[in-house]
Amino acid sequence: MVTPVNTQCRLAARPVGLAKPTDWTFTDQAVPNPADGEFLVRVEYLSIDPAMRTWMNAGRSYVPPVEIGAVMRAAGIARVVESRHADFAVGDEVYGVFGVQRYALADGRGVTRVDTTLAPAPVHLGVLGISGLTAYFGLLDIGRPEPGQTVVISGAAGSVGSVVGQIARIKGCRAIGIAGGEEKCRWLVDELGFDAAIDYKAGDLHAQLKAHAPNGVDVFFDNVGGEALEAALARLARGGRVVLCGAVSQYNNAAGGGPANYMQLLVARGSMTGFVIFDYADRYAEGVAQLATWLGNGELRSREDVIAGDVTDFPDALLTLFRGANTGKLVLALSTE
Ligand SMILES: NC(=O)c1ccc[n+]([C@@H]2O[C@H](COP(=O)([O-])OP(=O)(O)OC[C@H]3O[C@@H](n4cnc5c(N)ncnc54)[C@H](OP(=O)(O)O)[C@@H]3O)[C@@H](O)[C@H]2O)c1
């Protein structure tokens, strides 16, 4: 029998710009044994998130930076393979922040059981996971859209954005997505029911937004920052809300530019509010229940972009997000070999 090895991806250096292969190192360690009150999991699916790039930087953020030499932080879905914990049994499928590695020890804190009879595991990293919850609470709690209002979403064909636009439609709003490329735009309108989609790569985002939102933007759900944010601010309706969810266009840019035309917030009597989904942890159950109902009755559609690979494929999987090569939730499925 081959002895299992715990392959781990560690941060070797703080990247400048896009992460390079030399910013990572891989180690093979013996699989650890759980102590009393712990359990061992085998990671099956890694959630690949744009925020991972920000966790690699030193400095103030909403979570501590990943230290040089540490296993890269990652959420994932894993199976319990050994347990000395009263609440977790061998065979349980669980969600937690297990890191970019094959095996991890857990004591139950921050770990939740995943019901794969409801939907396949990757969906629990997407629509029924943090992405769906971010869309749900960010749009409804921060954006506060009203029926008939215009909601514009940047990064609209991604994991969070694709859910935001669908919830906006469910709530009786007009949903306009901004995404890279014709194919993504077609998917948003034809498959997800967005009212319109703008391909920012086709140029003149300002003019396209003006054409699609002639009465202004009531809610701008921003995943991207940069040019998209500036264009939306320029068209913000009176009393408009900008939901600051993320700024993926700035994550590889140390200077992290802000909007040049932020005075448009004053002109529009608008607001721009940032949020971190972890602050909604005590309402996750409410959000998942609603998202699962919509998914079940067909009002909400999920799409996962699953790459099959191994821990060593993580660095390239992360770059996929910044190439815009994913549609929907990007997941790295670790081989079962
Ligand atoms: N606030 C919170 O608590 C919270 C929680 C979760 C996620 N987030 C944020 O939500 C946002 C979306 O995350 P996600 O997981 O759903 O990722 P995602 O949208 O599935 O993937 C990233 C997408 O960003 C776009 N992109 C990449 N580089 C870009 C650039 N330079 N300019 C414009 N677009 C670019 C690409 O789409 P195109 O092909 O369309 O360019 C890419 O597919 C991120 O900003 C993330 O940090 C925030």
Side-chain angles (χ1 to χ4, degrees):
M1 199 182 106
V2 183
T3 312
V5 166
N6 189 19
T7 305
Q8 303 169 312
C9 177
R10 293 172 182 272
L11 185 62
R14 301 218 177 276
V16 177
L18 289 169
K20 301 182 296 301
T22 49
D23 295 328
W24 305 104
T25 182
F26 295 93
T27 49
D28 280 344
Q29 296 206 339
V31 176
N33 295 311
D36 260 350
E38 289 185 337
F39 53 96
L40 178 71
V41 299
R42 189 168 198 274
V43 179
E44 295 180 337
Y45 298 94
L46 286 172
S47 178
I48 309 296
D49 299 304
M52 288 172 147
R53 176 61 189 82
T54 68
W55 305 339
M56 297 161 77
N57 297 335
R60 179 173 177 250
S61 189
Y62 60 93
V63 286
V66 175
E67 294 301 335
I68 302 293
V71 173
M72 181 60 193
R73 181 186 294 131
I77 289 183
R79 193 172 291 278
V80 177
V81 289
E82 224 183 304
S83 182
R84 296 180 66 186
H85 191 293
D87 301 331
F88 292 90
V90 170
D92 283 355
E93 196 116 36
V94 290
Y95 167 88
V97 181
F98 301 121
V100 184
Q101 55 184 343
R102 283 320 294 243
Y103 292 91
L105 286 177
D107 62 8
R109 277 178 296 176
V111 178
T112 50
R113 224 175 256 96
V114 160
D115 182 0
T116 48
T117 61
L118 200 62
V123 181
H124 294 269
L125 295 174
V127 171
L128 297 181
I130 290 295
S131 296
L133 291 166
T134 300
Y136 181 83
F137 289 113
L139 179 65
L140 299 183
D141 238 57
I142 314 276
R144 304 181 315 280
E146 289 165 22
Q149 291 194 327
T150 297
V151 177
V152 175
I153 305 109
S154 63
S159 185
V160 174
S162 57
V163 182
V164 174
Q166 295 184 81
I167 297 177
R169 293 285 300 136
I170 290 169
K171 294 293 175 183
C173 299
R174 192 171 142 70
I176 301 172
I178 302 174
E182 245 178 75
E183 199 179 324
K184 287 188 180 186
C185 288
R186 250 199 320 275
W187 176 64
L188 292 175
V189 174
D190 295 351
E191 306 281 328
L192 300 191
F194 280 52
D195 295 281
I198 296 170
D199 174 7
Y200 73 88
K201 290 184 176 165
D204 211 349
L205 182 52
H206 286 259
Q208 290 199 65
L209 197 54
K210 190 171 178 185
H212 287 292
N215 299 321
V217 175
D218 297 296
V219 178
F220 178 52
F221 193 104
D222 194 17
N223 291 310
V224 166
E227 191 198 356
L229 175 57
E230 290 188 357
L233 281 176
R235 300 247 9 109
L236 202 64
R238 193 165 172 142
R241 282 86 63 203
V242 176
V243 182
L244 174 45
C245 176
V248 68
S249 73
Q250 306 301 311
Y251 290 175
N252 293 290
N253 164 9
N261 58 347
Y262 79 99
M263 281 296 284
Q264 290 299 319
L265 286 169
L266 179 150
V267 173
R269 286 79 157 167
S271 66
M272 179 160 166
T273 309
F275 75 103
V276 174
I277 190 57
F278 305 151
D279 297 341
Y280 287 88
D282 60 351
R283 293 179 61 195
Y284 283 177
E286 165 202 333
V288 170
Q290 179 61 81
L291 291 159
T293 302
W294 285 331
L295 196 61
N297 67 20
E299 283 185 273
L300 189 58
R301 297 177 73 167
S302 80
R303 177 158 168 178
E304 300 73 42
D305 207 328
V306 181
I307 301 173
D310 223 318
V311 164
T312 49
D313 295 308
F314 166 74
D316 193 57
L318 183 60
L319 293 176
T320 302
L321 293 172
F322 300 107
R323 287 194 290 263
N326 66 303
T327 303
K329 175 66 203 165
L330 187 65
V331 173
L332 177 60
L334 300 182
S335 72
T336 48
E337 297 288 290

